[in-house]
Amino acid sequence: MKNQQFKCVLVLGFIALILHACTQKQEKKAENATSSIEKSEFGTLPNGQVVTLFTLRNAQGMEVKIMDYGGTIVSWTAPDRAGKYEDITLGCDSLSGYLRGVPYFGAIVGRYGNRIAKGKFQIDDNKYTLATNNIGNHLHGGIKGFDKVLWSATPVSGDEPALKLTYLSKDGEEGYPGNVQVEVVYTLQKDNALKMDYSATTDKKTIVNLTNHAYFNLAGAGNGDILGHELVLNAATFLPVDSTLIPLKAPMAVAGTVFDFSKSTKIGLRIADKTDQQIKFGGGYDHCWVLADSSKNLKSAAVLTEPISGRVMEVLTTEPAIQFYTGNFLDGKIIGKKGHPYPFRSGLCLETEHFPDAPNRPDFPTTILVPGATYRTTTIYRFSAK
Ligand code: GLA
């Protein structure tokens, strides 16, 4: 009898053990499914400063890696229609790759994203001269723009992983007036969207136009060109440019031109139209589309679809315009992540922003920031699959 009781206790104990193990496994699974942010060392700058890489993960499995150098998105995974996550942004495996020189891969661009004609502008009676680093014009903040500085990064607590980056751009830096305190918060949302909240203040009248310069290839970074992607741009007009990519007079209607993306259209369909002078000037698409909704509300600016994988990316923004650039300057010389070269048009950018050369164009929405005011914009890149 005693023996039987002992056996019974043993069996019950065993069952309890199994049950306990199962609950622990489930708890672990739940823990894995929640969002997180991790920190690791990415490399060292020539001046000895350490560059940190932050990995943001959400419960669905999206992972975004951001380094504090340039506030750069180093990698970003998104699911295809079978739920397979793949890195969809161009970039490098190591810091040294970025330091060798890359065309703004994934970086925060500023103090003025896009071009300023001849690097000159005026606020009140004060004339300013900036670097002319792009065929006689100023581009993306100059020689050492916000993409090439070390930002201060702090993870933000909350139910969604977020990273706050701050940078003080000193009065006179790259020729711009005013001490400008900039903040960019990247939040990886539950719905597989990355939200970018930009803000800035100044102590002297200045100009600010911030954006992110991620190159997307929804078939996977390093996996062919982007010509088969389909794009919608919610814009009725775009800004025609001169041969140095400075906007000409007024915005032009896209209807009846190769710039009409008001309905989903394959990017490669009309990109080689040799009869279109604007395509010639851009070497493809490298133009600013004026969003149909000119309000400062968050609105859908673009929808990009890669039909083979089924990946879809929607861009929402509070900005009035979007620069669509088809990677026309990529030439395969840069070896990116996993040893993949990035050839001609292997990535595309959808840079939400104010208009190029706005500081010289009273007819364009202003980019002037005054002391006491706060510059604030938000852009969201949201992924799904179909
Ligand atoms: C922007 C410009 C392009 C090019 C890239 C970087 O998108 O509009 O002309 O300079 O940046 O190569």
Side-chain angles (χ1 to χ4, degrees):
M1 187 68 193
K2 255 198 176 156
N3 205 6
Q4 255 186 357
Q5 263 179 349
F6 179 68
K7 269 189 191 159
C8 206
V9 169
L10 251 184
V11 170
L12 281 176
F14 190 61
I15 291 171
L17 253 177
I18 289 175
L19 280 177
H20 179 70
C22 279
T23 344
Q24 268 205 332
K25 214 172 171 187
Q26 258 173 5
E27 270 169 18
K28 188 102 199 197
K29 221 172 163 188
E31 210 174 86
N32 286 343
T34 59
S35 60
S36 67
I37 180 157
E38 259 169 38
K39 227 171 129 169
S40 64
E41 204 176 303
F42 196 51
T44 309
L45 295 172
N47 66 5
Q49 285 176 304
V50 172
V51 173
T52 307
L53 187 69
F54 294 84
T55 304
L56 283 64
R57 278 188 205 96
N58 72 6
Q60 294 206 47
M62 177 169 278
E63 188 185 88
V64 183
K65 290 182 190 269
I66 301 164
M67 65 166 159
D68 47 8
Y69 180 71
T72 302
I73 296 169
V74 171
S75 70
W76 187 346
T77 67
D80 67 5
R81 66 168 73 84
K84 188 173 169 247
Y85 279 77
E86 197 144 358
D87 188 356
I88 46 77
T89 48
L90 274 52
C92 305
D93 281 326
S94 65
L95 179 65
S96 53
Y98 289 92
L99 297 181
R100 271 196 292 275
V102 292
Y104 310 94
F105 285 168
I108 297 169
V109 166
R111 189 181 296 194
Y112 197 94
N114 218 318
R115 295 169 173 81
I116 298 175
K118 300 188 171 62
K120 294 206 183 293
F121 70 100
Q122 187 171 344
I123 302 177
D124 302 330
D125 291 333
N126 304 311
K127 293 184 174 159
Y128 299 99
T129 302
L130 310 169
T132 46
N133 55 327
N134 190 258
I135 35 175
N137 299 315
H138 180 77
L139 176 71
H140 291 339
I143 312 288
K144 193 176 176 191
F146 292 178
D147 59 300
K148 295 184 191 70
V149 300
L150 192 65
W151 294 64
S152 294
T154 355
V156 187
S157 57
D159 61 342
E160 290 176 324
L163 184 70
K164 179 166 97 179
L165 293 145
T166 58
Y167 176 66
L168 172 66
S169 173
K170 296 255 176 71
D171 186 18
E173 185 180 290
E174 285 293 324
Y176 292 100
N179 289 295
V180 173
Q181 184 63 56
V182 193
E183 186 182 291
V184 180
V185 180
Y186 287 106
T187 306
L188 178 54
Q189 300 183 326
K190 296 183 181 88
D191 58 347
N192 273 356
L194 185 68
K195 179 156 76 97
M196 304 174 188
D197 290 304
Y198 300 83
S199 61
T201 53
T202 184
D203 60 1
K204 206 188 260 182
K205 270 192 189 176
T206 190
I207 51 170
V208 179
N209 190 25
L210 305 173
T211 191
N212 179 281
H213 210 296
Y215 286 67
F216 297 98
N217 185 330
L218 302 191
N223 183 12
D225 63 41
I226 47 77
L227 298 177
H229 287 49
E230 293 160 7
L231 180 67
V232 178
L233 291 172
N234 293 321
T237 58
F238 79 107
L239 301 177
V241 289
D242 68 14
S243 62
T244 71
L245 303 187
I246 294 294
L248 300 165
K249 285 188 195 86
M252 186 177 153
V254 294
T257 76
V258 302
F259 289 81
D260 189 355
F261 283 93
S262 51
K263 287 196 194 77
S264 190
T265 307
K266 218 167 245 275
I267 292 168
L269 191 66
R270 305 163 303 184
I271 201 169
D273 187 340
K274 298 226 165 60
T275 62
D276 192 287
Q277 197 190 35
Q278 285 300 311
I279 286 278
K280 263 200 227 158
F281 285 165
Y285 295 109
D286 192 355
H287 296 77
C288 185
W289 271 253
V290 179
L291 297 177
D293 180 347
S294 59
S295 74
K296 288 187 178 153
N297 300 333
L298 194 65
K299 66 256 175 194
S300 180
V303 180
L304 181 70
T305 305
E306 201 285 299
I308 298 169
S309 64
R311 289 192 183 91
V312 178
M313 180 179 83
E314 183 177 16
V315 187
L316 301 110
T317 190
T318 60
E319 290 277 29
I322 191 161
Q323 179 87 6
F324 169 43
Y325 165 62
T326 41
N328 312 312
F329 295 111
L330 297 173
D331 58 7
K333 285 193 187 130
I334 296 174
I335 306 298
K337 288 174 278 190
K338 296 185 183 156
H340 291 298
Y342 294 142
F344 190 47
R345 297 184 178 150
S346 55
L348 65 87
C349 304
L350 288 163
E351 305 153 50
T352 54
E353 57 190 22
H354 270 59
F355 302 3
D357 203 29
N360 294 308
R361 298 290 298 264
D363 52 330
F364 288 172
T366 185
T367 50
I368 292 180
L369 180 67
V370 299
T374 304
Y375 166 99
R376 263 185 226 289
T377 71
T378 295
T379 293
I380 296 177
Y381 295 86
R382 184 190 288 148
F383 287 86
S384 57
K386 66 176 184 195

